[in-house]
Amino acid sequence: MKFFIDTANLEQIREAQSLGVLDGVTTNPSLMAKEGISGDAAVKSHYVAICEIVEGDVSAEVISTDFDGMISEGRILADLHANIVVKVPATADGIRAIRWFTDNGIRTNCTLIFSAGQALLAAKAGASYVSPFVGRLDDISSDGLQLIEKIRVIYDNYDYGTEILAASVRHTMHIIECAEIGADIMTGPLSAIKGLLKHPLTDSGLAQFLADHAKAKG
Ligand code: E4P
């Protein structure tokens, strides 16, 4: 399973990259705003800065909601760097735009996926990735992981090349369960990625090894 980090924070991206397990980055307008990035020029240079840190795909989301706006914005974003993937919402104009981008060699990530039907349409339009939001479904007492399972079955039935990017991952168990189901990628916060390492027996075992080594030396 590929690991993406879901942030626009350059420090966190650098830290994840330094672990040697990072395959890409996802951002969204809220994450960019959280870092205080606003204005066309600043947004573009921030995407380029992210692309220079990570060796992998970087999702950059369009703000326009109409077909023409998505196309002109998406073309500009895609021109910024070879690793940019244009993130487009799962709306009717979004699906039309994904088809246009696909036909014109621009890779896309269909975002805000909350149903298997949306994921099916995105795959038919040729999306490179679909982003089902696991955590946000869990937030409203719906089963986010069940949606990943359904999409996996549908994509395998028809051999769609679209990759399932489990998004809105909030904690380590989401990551492990997405891996069990067979999501192609997960995107989550740095805390969830680092949380996978936590185990008290690792900590106590290491302390014991070091103590025994010091005793034998001593
Ligand atoms: C997906 O690409 C989104 O950026 C993200 O995963 C949303 O996560 P949230 O529900 O924690 O905001």
Side-chain angles (χ1 to χ4, degrees), residues 6 26-28 31 87 133 136 167-168 170 187:
D6 193 33
T26 51
T27 63
N28 64 39
L31 292 170
K87 209 171 177 189
F133 278 33
R136 289 194 195 183
S168 188
R170 304 269 172 78
T187 189

Side-chain angles (χ1 to χ4, degrees), residues 1-209:
M1 180 167 67
K2 285 185 256 181
F3 273 32
F4 286 7
I5 188 169
D6 193 33
T7 184
N9 182 288
L10 299 182
E11 273 317 299
Q12 291 185 14
I13 295 169
R14 274 190 206 101
E15 188 178 340
Q17 173 69 23
S18 74
L19 284 173
V21 297
L22 192 64
D23 301 297
V25 177
T26 51
T27 63
N28 64 39
S30 307
L31 292 170
M32 294 292 273
K34 194 172 160 198
E35 299 306 317
I37 314 296
S38 67
D40 249 25
V43 167
K44 284 180 199 153
S45 69
H46 201 75
Y47 283 136
V48 173
I50 294 174
C51 290
E52 282 167 358
I53 297 171
V54 66
E55 288 161 28
D57 286 346
V58 174
S59 289
E61 189 159 344
V62 297
I63 307 297
S64 303
T65 54
D66 64 299
F67 174 79
D68 290 333
M70 287 181 189
I71 300 303
S72 61
E73 239 188 281
R75 291 175 75 172
I76 292 169
L77 290 171
D79 275 348
L80 291 176
H81 194 281
N83 289 350
I84 291 278
V85 173
V86 181
K87 209 171 177 189
V88 178
T91 60
D93 280 47
I95 294 297
R96 278 181 66 206
I98 288 170
R99 167 50 60 199
W100 188 94
F101 287 128
T102 305
D103 292 345
N104 287 275
I106 292 174
R107 294 176 308 134
T108 53
N109 173 358
C110 188
T111 190
L112 291 167
I113 295 277
F114 293 98
S115 76
Q118 291 172 325
L120 181 54
L121 279 177
K124 283 185 67 65
S128 317
Y129 301 107
V130 280
S131 290
F133 278 33
V134 175
R136 289 194 195 183
L137 280 169
D138 289 357
D139 287 344
I140 59 157
S141 311
S142 206
D143 191 339
L145 291 165
Q146 203 176 68
L147 175 59
I148 303 288
E149 274 172 21
K150 277 190 180 190
I151 300 171
R152 182 73 283 156
V153 169
I154 292 169
Y155 282 10
D156 289 350
N157 280 348
Y158 298 100
D159 263 341
Y160 284 122
T162 303
E163 291 190 85
I164 303 173
L165 199 177
S168 188
V169 157
R170 304 269 172 78
H171 50 71
T172 56
M173 284 312 293
H174 274 157
I175 300 178
I176 291 162
E177 283 167 47
C178 282
E180 282 174 357
I181 293 165
D184 299 292
I185 307 140
M186 79 82 205
T187 189
L190 182 61
S191 58
I193 297 172
K194 284 164 68 178
L196 291 170
L197 277 174
K198 285 188 189 159
H199 202 289
L201 291 179
T202 303
D203 298 340
S204 60
L206 181 60
Q208 184 71 55
F209 287 154

